[in-house]
Amino acid sequence: MIVRRFASSFSAKPGGFKLPPTIRQLLASPHTPAPDAPPITVSGWIKSIRRQKNVAFAVLTDGSSPQGLQAVFVGNGDGVKALTNGAAVRLTGKLVPSPGAGQDKELLVDLGKAGESGAKGEVRVLGSCDPEIYPIQKQALSTEYLRDHSHLRARTDAIAAMIRLRDALKKNISTFFDEQGFVYTHTPVLTGNDAEGAGEAFQIAEIPSAQHPASVLLPSSPSSSPSPSSSPAAPTATATAAPSPLGGTLAHEKEFFSRPAHLTVSHQLHLEALATALARVYTLSPCFRAERSQTGRHLAEFWMLEAEWVQAGGVGETCDFVEACVRKVVGGLVHGGSGELEVLWRGGEGSRRQAMSDAVKPDGKPWKRMTYTEAVEALEAEHARTKKFEYEPRWGRALQSEHERWLAETFVKGPVFVTDYPAVLKPFYMRRNCSASGAEDRDRETVACFDLLVPHVGELVGGSVREERPSVLESRMREAFGEAGVREYEWYLDLRRYGGAPHVGFGMGFERLVGWVGGIENVRECVPFPRWAGRMLL
Amino acid sequence: MIVRRFASSFSAKPGGFKLPPTIRQLLASPHTPAPDAPPITVSGWIKSIRRQKNVAFAVLTDGSSPQGLQAVFVGNGDGVKALTNGAAVRLTGKLVPSPGAGQDKELLVDLGKAGESGAKGEVRVLGSCDPEIYPIQKQALSTEYLRDHSHLRARTDAIAAMIRLRDALKKNISTFFDEQGFVYTHTPVLTGNDAEGAGEAFQIAEIPSAQHPASVLLPSSPSSSPSPSSSPAAPTATATAAPSPLGGTLAHEKEFFSRPAHLTVSHQLHLEALATALARVYTLSPCFRAERSQTGRHLAEFWMLEAEWVQAGGVGETCDFVEACVRKVVGGLVHGGSGELEVLWRGGEGSRRQAMSDAVKPDGKPWKRMTYTEAVEALEAEHARTKKFEYEPRWGRALQSEHERWLAETFVKGPVFVTDYPAVLKPFYMRRNCSASGAEDRDRETVACFDLLVPHVGELVGGSVREERPSVLESRMREAFGEAGVREYEWYLDLRRYGGAPHVGFGMGFERLVGWVGGIENVRECVPFPRWAGRMLL
């Protein structure tokens, strides 16, 4: 009985629901509008309006496309009075071939009596916008002003184009990794790792006692005090209740997870755990660093493309893969014709754009590669001649941003892989290169790693062969963090102890990629809602 | 001169690098292996091995596929001694048609002298695995044991299948939203919102003073003390330095962002800001709740599909869209034939799987819809008859999990949309339904919202029409959090003040979707590295 009462509200088209076309979809359609086609309805915001005596012209945007839809209003002028910059409107009219320059099609909205063109047009204001106080005025707004209005800045052409560029790059990334047989995985943001104690990881605050019933947070079941390292003796039983160094002790009774929790600075270690099961994995996930540097290349919250996969080929093949990845992801966009890039590079340096575009040409030259040692030699030679660097380049020292940019912009004039950095500069998980001579100086030891440097960005990608030998890895960990650190990362050693396959991986800062491709100076304009030291809106 | 030295290490194939096929790709190829095809090399892990006198059989997996590759070793038996469960190996052999049941192709590895079959096979152990102590034994391992070994559990068939299922669902989601004209956006994890003070949001710890130079964190530039609400007077100048209630005051000098930062509980509000610029936006992003409930449906870190789009059609059309989304995303997988589902439903209830599958049949019945009022009537009638519910159903009370499950599993026997809940039960941003009679009791007011309930999961999706009228929204905010709350959400009101278009949105718990489709009891087995109160490994 009750069932019958609401039978009438069932949808008639369960799987076929389709939203009306966006302006991008309308403009992309190759068909010339037919004269007898039925009227269409389009929603969006007024970007500009120009009124003449019996006709008015407006540009309508719905944010789907760098190009707006021109709407031409004829007849009764009352209907267009409320059309002001920023107003949300719904227009009904006919899509017709445009006689004007700059567009193939336009929307004819005939407000005349019964529609003199044969179809009655309609204008409906969905949300008005007072042009006197609208914060997003048509004249150029400063970058800083727009940062202060981050909730509204996606209404500007450039920020909207950047957001769509992110979407397009993400799609190309998915396609590339799919073809290469990778699985997309969701690795955690909350982690017990604290970036090896480097102090760059945000920490989760303790829970106030009032909100924190110990009975819930310190359950007495042994399974809540886990020892994640191998306990091979009893595979079908739960882990033993021995207090592990990782959590579940009284010292952490105010912690939600019974141990300190941090925001991850990289998904690499978790991806490695999955790569030892699924062979090829990747993710595009948020990472966090409590960085205090106020540069144009750092954010406190950023997105990183990270991949790990089983491969025995060493650094050379890893660079081959990364080069293929960046060329496909960026090249498809740059050479496929992207209206977003036209918007973003407007007013930018043509030569920079050309260099970026040339770098990813399908038949272009392979990217240059040099070892760290060769890079330092080149830097030293340049410095001896010109004294141009603030930091003197020397073997064993980190490459500074000025060095990286000189290598890519001046010396190589394009993307360059720098490989085999000194071991002392790099983290414990990078594979130590075997020295040809046994008596080589330990300080000259290098690891099988690479950075990809690109002009005007510097480091875009960093990666390495991962140390797969359990004994070498363990001794590097002991050097780096002592015995307690080794215990904390027992699980990471387990990955090598049990069928550890040689594997490699890399990380690419997504905002830096967006900046390189879009010619955007500062990563704060490469993400919708940027966060950095002292600043977090919304 | 220096340039010439490393010219020899350039890659010969910049864009064309391709990893060798995965086992999934090999098995999916429709070609019958040709007798004269060259040998191939495959890497992976040994899942099982069976030795006979002159021949051995192993199943090799690389995690790409629910099905392993059968390898047949003939000839010299020494090569196969090190092949133990879990060992990482690289095999070279010939892909040949398989005479055995269960597979079309197998890998023939001929270790005989010079390869009696015509091609020399090779076995190389990349990483050994001691079968005596390997934590992932072949016999069934308990769910709890595997949670304790989360770094290794992706090596089991079920967890690997779940991770690939996530990937497949994510791909279908991308395809669906692309077709509907949506833009994928990256909204922030760190936010000033604290879930309207509900106490469920994790907070970022303050920075210890020693690490916290005030000069960096409290810069003197006015732009670091932003007022995110509209300051329309001077659009080309930076915002004024007046201390805002949101941050930048001495009270927050230990905060990295000069104001308290939380982990987002939902991306909705940020998506709404983007939807007022890009019209149709969605994201699949991590969300966080400091939930203490130890149920099979809650995680402290989970992934949520969220979408917001401009639409004036009300709850009915929103349900149409959600139904189309779930049907396409799930139906493509269920009816396209998925080896992952075979693994995951092994041992599961056939009738549950059938019901899930039937619900997303392309020509199936539309999903039922009923109002909250109708749902409560049905629950009350059932309770009067059977007294079966722990919580007595009554109008104005929240639906409990037992109520939701009874509605979906028993009453409707399938997915059901419950719409128009009482306003007092729902958040401020949901659109208040206009009452037909002006004198209606305020307590009976409802909002234009819906929950999608599915059998054995309960709430899978929740969504609503968003309140687009600035004055109604502001008064609801004032009721909910008082004057300070209204000031804090000025930016959210701005979205309506300036060209606010009617829009709708929803959120779907991704782990619950995975659980429903895969027949997985607990969301802790629906994500690679689960986190909940008292538990965070790795």
Side-chain angles (χ1 to χ4, degrees):
Chain A
M1 236 168 23
I2 290 173
V3 172
R4 199 170 287 160
R5 273 176 50 193
F6 34 81
S8 58
S9 62
F10 292 167
S11 162
K13 38 180 181 179
F17 188 83
K18 186 100 170 60
L19 294 177
T22 60
I23 289 175
R24 187 184 202 95
Q25 289 167 338
L26 282 177
L27 295 177
S29 163
H31 302 297
T32 308
D36 58 348
I40 62 167
T41 295
V42 191
S43 298
W45 294 270
I46 300 291
K47 284 293 267 194
S48 66
I49 179 114
R50 188 161 49 89
R51 294 183 181 82
Q52 294 175 357
K53 193 155 180 252
N54 293 314
V55 63
F57 299 90
V59 176
L60 185 75
T61 182
D62 62 1
S64 65
S65 159
Q67 214 190 337
L69 177 67
Q70 170 155 293
V72 182
F73 304 89
V74 296
N76 172 13
D78 288 351
V80 300
K81 269 186 194 152
L83 300 182
T84 61
N85 179 26
V89 297
R90 191 168 64 192
L91 305 180
T92 302
K94 283 193 73 161
L95 201 63
V96 297
S98 175
Q103 65 272 327
D104 294 336
K105 304 161 197 166
E106 60 187 27
L107 188 72
L108 178 64
V109 184
D110 187 344
L111 302 169
K113 224 176 186 176
E116 284 155 35
S117 69
K120 182 80 181 120
E122 199 186 333
V123 171
R124 192 169 148 205
V125 176
L126 303 172
S128 64
C129 185
D130 183 343
E132 298 299 313
I133 59 167
Y134 185 36
I136 306 297
Q137 295 287 320
K138 270 193 292 183
Q139 65 264 42
L141 303 169
S142 77
T143 301
E144 201 52 50
Y145 174 83
L146 288 171
R147 287 178 191 164
D148 290 342
H149 293 78
S150 66
H151 61 304
L152 298 175
R153 73 175 188 165
R155 301 177 180 203
T156 63
D157 286 348
I159 296 292
M162 174 274 289
I163 294 172
R164 290 191 305 268
L165 174 61
R166 291 178 69 101
D167 181 31
L169 288 169
K170 175 193 154 283
K171 275 180 205 153
N172 288 358
I173 287 169
S174 298
T175 304
F176 176 82
F177 280 96
D178 271 2
E179 285 172 2
Q180 300 277 357
F182 279 68
V183 177
Y184 187 95
T185 61
H186 295 95
T187 40
V189 164
L190 291 169
T191 173
N193 305 334
D194 67 345
E196 295 90 53
E200 284 192 342
F202 287 103
Q203 187 167 351
I204 298 297
E206 295 180 346
I207 309 274
S209 310
Q211 294 176 30
H212 192 294
S215 58
V216 171
L217 290 166
L218 293 171
S220 55
S221 137
S223 61
S224 62
S225 171
S227 156
S229 68
S230 62
S231 67
T236 51
T238 56
T240 56
S244 105
L246 293 181
T249 68
L250 283 177
H252 299 303
E253 63 176 5
K254 283 189 170 178
E255 305 278 1
F256 184 86
F257 296 108
S258 307
R259 60 183 292 209
H262 299 87
L263 302 190
T264 199
V265 299
S266 151
H267 296 264
Q268 178 195 322
L269 304 190
H270 293 93
L271 281 177
E272 283 189 72
L274 298 177
T276 59
L278 300 167
R280 301 177 192 176
V281 293
Y282 79 110
T283 194
L284 176 58
S285 286
C287 296
F288 304 84
R289 292 198 189 158
E291 296 240 17
R292 284 162 197 85
S293 52
Q294 299 276 2
T295 78
R297 309 191 313 145
H298 294 91
L299 292 166
E301 172 172 352
F302 58 101
W303 289 72
M304 190 137 72
L305 170 68
E306 292 180 274
E308 295 286 325
W309 69 100
V310 171
Q311 180 180 288
V315 169
E317 277 189 38
T318 314
C319 293
D320 289 343
F321 183 89
V322 169
E323 181 167 347
C325 175
V326 177
R327 280 175 174 274
K328 277 259 183 147
V329 166
V330 178
L333 201 82
V334 167
H335 302 295
S338 155
E340 277 68 33
L341 295 189
E342 298 311 316
V343 172
L344 291 169
W345 281 95
R346 204 178 283 160
E349 272 178 54
S351 60
R352 273 173 67 167
R353 181 177 178 181
Q354 191 62 52
M356 183 275 294
S357 176
D358 286 349
V360 295
K361 260 203 308 221
D363 56 349
K365 279 192 299 189
W367 294 346
K368 294 207 168 53
R369 298 180 190 183
M370 60 175 77
T371 63
Y372 166 88
T373 302
E374 288 164 339
V376 169
E377 283 170 13
L379 288 160
E380 282 174 340
E382 176 72 7
H383 195 62
R385 204 164 58 79
T386 63
K387 297 281 172 221
K388 74 187 299 174
F389 298 119
E390 189 182 347
Y391 296 88
E392 191 189 335
R394 192 182 300 172
W395 205 98
R397 292 184 183 169
L399 296 187
Q400 300 295 322
S401 181
E402 57 174 348
H403 303 147
E404 293 177 343
R405 292 192 53 174
W406 179 81
L407 287 166
E409 287 160 32
T410 307
F411 188 62
V412 169
K413 297 187 177 63
V416 52
F417 286 99
V418 178
T419 67
D420 301 285
Y421 283 67
V424 291
L425 296 177
K426 293 291 182 180
F428 68 95
Y429 49 71
M430 293 190 174
R431 193 179 200 278
R432 200 158 277 219
N433 284 320
C434 300
S435 54
S437 88
E440 200 191 29
D441 182 355
R442 252 198 92 164
D443 294 342
R444 299 288 294 185
E445 272 189 332
T446 58
V447 286
C449 71
F450 68 92
D451 279 357
L452 172 62
L453 313 178
V454 301
H456 305 288
V457 169
E459 183 194 338
L460 176 66
V461 182
S464 81
V465 180
R466 311 310 187 191
E467 183 59 76
E468 89 281 11
R469 297 162 294 187
S471 58
V472 180
L473 182 63
E474 189 168 340
S475 75
R476 291 225 61 186
M477 284 163 66
R478 189 165 283 112
E479 279 168 41
F481 345 105
E483 207 53 42
V486 174
R487 276 202 306 276
E488 178 143 350
Y489 286 97
E490 280 291 334
W491 69 267
Y492 189 69
L493 282 165
D494 273 4
L495 304 181
R496 277 72 176 168
R497 287 182 184 130
Y498 304 114
H503 62 285
V504 300
F506 72 88
M508 183 191 315
F510 192 62
E511 282 74 24
R512 292 187 183 180
L513 177 69
V514 170
W516 183 50
V517 176
I520 304 168
E521 280 301 323
N522 194 309
V523 287
R524 294 172 188 175
E525 275 65 61
C526 293
V527 65
F529 303 101
R531 277 91 176 81
W532 67 93
R535 177 73 78 97
M536 176 190 57
L537 298 187
L538 280 63
Chain B
M1 232 165 27
I2 291 172
V3 172
R4 199 171 286 159
R5 273 177 49 193
F6 33 80
S8 59
S9 63
F10 292 167
S11 162
K13 40 181 181 180
F17 187 84
K18 187 100 169 63
L19 294 177
T22 61
I23 289 176
R24 187 184 203 94
Q25 289 167 339
L26 281 176
L27 294 177
S29 163
H31 302 297
T32 308
D36 58 347
I40 62 167
T41 294
V42 191
S43 299
W45 293 270
I46 299 292
K47 283 295 267 192
S48 66
I49 177 113
R50 187 161 50 90
R51 293 181 181 85
Q52 294 176 356
K53 194 157 180 249
N54 293 314
V55 63
F57 300 90
V59 175
L60 186 75
T61 181
D62 63 0
S64 65
S65 159
Q67 214 190 337
L69 176 67
Q70 171 155 294
V72 182
F73 303 89
V74 296
N76 171 15
D78 287 351
V80 301
K81 271 187 191 151
L83 300 182
T84 61
N85 180 26
V89 297
R90 191 168 64 193
L91 305 180
T92 302
K94 284 193 72 161
L95 202 63
V96 297
S98 175
Q103 66 271 328
D104 295 335
K105 303 161 197 167
E106 61 187 25
L107 187 73
L108 177 64
V109 183
D110 187 344
L111 302 169
K113 224 179 186 175
E116 284 157 35
S117 68
K120 182 79 181 124
E122 198 185 334
V123 170
R124 192 168 150 208
V125 175
L126 302 173
S128 64
C129 184
D130 183 343
E132 298 299 314
I133 60 168
Y134 184 37
I136 307 297
Q137 295 287 321
K138 272 192 292 182
Q139 66 264 40
L141 304 169
S142 77
T143 301
E144 201 52 49
Y145 174 83
L146 289 171
R147 286 177 191 164
D148 289 343
H149 293 78
S150 65
H151 61 304
L152 298 175
R153 74 175 187 164
R155 300 178 181 203
T156 63
D157 287 348
I159 297 292
M162 174 275 289
I163 294 172
R164 291 191 304 268
L165 174 61
R166 291 178 71 100
D167 182 30
L169 289 169
K170 175 193 153 285
K171 275 180 204 151
N172 289 359
I173 287 169
S174 298
T175 303
F176 176 81
F177 280 96
D178 271 2
E179 286 172 2
Q180 301 275 358
F182 279 68
V183 177
Y184 187 95
T185 62
H186 294 96
T187 40
V189 164
L190 291 169
T191 173
N193 304 335
D194 67 345
E196 296 91 50
E200 283 191 345
F202 287 103
Q203 187 167 351
I204 298 296
E206 296 181 347
I207 309 275
S209 310
Q211 293 175 31
H212 193 293
S215 58
V216 171
L217 289 166
L218 293 171
S220 55
S221 137
S223 62
S224 63
S225 170
S227 156
S229 68
S230 61
S231 67
T236 51
T238 56
T240 56
S244 105
L246 293 183
T249 68
L250 283 177
H252 298 303
E253 63 176 6
K254 284 189 169 179
E255 305 279 1
F256 184 86
F257 297 108
S258 307
R259 60 184 291 209
H262 299 86
L263 302 190
T264 198
V265 299
S266 151
H267 296 262
Q268 178 194 323
L269 304 190
H270 293 93
L271 281 176
E272 283 189 72
L274 298 177
T276 58
L278 299 167
R280 300 179 192 174
V281 294
Y282 79 111
T283 194
L284 177 59
S285 287
C287 298
F288 304 84
R289 293 199 189 157
E291 296 239 20
R292 285 162 197 85
S293 52
Q294 300 274 3
T295 78
R297 309 193 312 146
H298 294 91
L299 292 166
E301 172 173 354
F302 58 101
W303 289 72
M304 190 139 70
L305 170 68
E306 292 179 274
E308 294 286 325
W309 68 101
V310 171
Q311 180 179 291
V315 168
E317 277 189 38
T318 314
C319 293
D320 289 344
F321 183 89
V322 169
E323 181 168 347
C325 174
V326 177
R327 280 175 174 274
K328 277 260 182 144
V329 166
V330 177
L333 201 82
V334 167
H335 302 294
S338 156
E340 277 68 34
L341 295 190
E342 298 311 316
V343 172
L344 291 169
W345 281 95
R346 205 178 282 158
E349 271 178 55
S351 60
R352 273 173 67 167
R353 182 177 179 182
Q354 191 61 50
M356 183 274 296
S357 175
D358 286 349
V360 296
K361 261 205 305 224
D363 56 349
K365 278 191 301 187
W367 294 347
K368 295 206 167 55
R369 299 179 189 183
M370 60 176 78
T371 63
Y372 166 88
T373 303
E374 289 164 338
V376 169
E377 284 171 12
L379 288 160
E380 282 174 342
E382 175 72 7
H383 195 63
R385 205 164 57 80
T386 64
K387 296 282 172 218
K388 74 188 298 173
F389 299 118
E390 188 183 347
Y391 296 88
E392 191 189 334
R394 192 181 300 172
W395 206 98
R397 292 185 183 169
L399 296 187
Q400 300 295 322
S401 181
E402 58 174 347
H403 303 146
E404 294 176 344
R405 293 192 54 174
W406 178 82
L407 286 167
E409 286 159 34
T410 306
F411 187 62
V412 169
K413 296 188 178 63
V416 52
F417 287 98
V418 178
T419 66
D420 302 285
Y421 283 67
V424 290
L425 296 177
K426 293 292 181 180
F428 67 95
Y429 49 71
M430 292 189 174
R431 193 180 201 279
R432 200 158 277 221
N433 284 320
C434 300
S435 54
S437 88
E440 200 190 27
D441 183 356
R442 254 197 88 164
D443 294 341
R444 300 287 294 183
E445 271 188 332
T446 58
V447 286
C449 71
F450 68 92
D451 279 358
L452 172 62
L453 313 179
V454 300
H456 304 288
V457 170
E459 184 193 338
L460 177 65
V461 182
S464 81
V465 179
R466 311 310 187 191
E467 183 59 76
E468 89 281 11
R469 296 161 294 186
S471 58
V472 179
L473 182 63
E474 189 168 340
S475 76
R476 290 226 60 187
M477 285 163 65
R478 189 164 286 114
E479 279 168 41
F481 344 105
E483 206 54 41
V486 175
R487 276 201 307 275
E488 177 144 349
Y489 286 97
E490 280 290 334
W491 69 267
Y492 188 69
L493 283 166
D494 272 3
L495 304 180
R496 277 72 177 170
R497 288 181 183 131
Y498 305 114
H503 62 284
V504 300
F506 72 87
M508 183 191 315
F510 192 61
E511 283 74 24
R512 292 188 184 179
L513 177 69
V514 170
W516 182 49
V517 176
I520 304 168
E521 279 301 325
N522 194 309
V523 287
R524 294 172 188 176
E525 275 65 62
C526 293
V527 65
F529 304 101
R531 278 92 177 77
W532 68 91
R535 177 72 78 98
M536 175 191 58
L537 298 187
L538 281 62

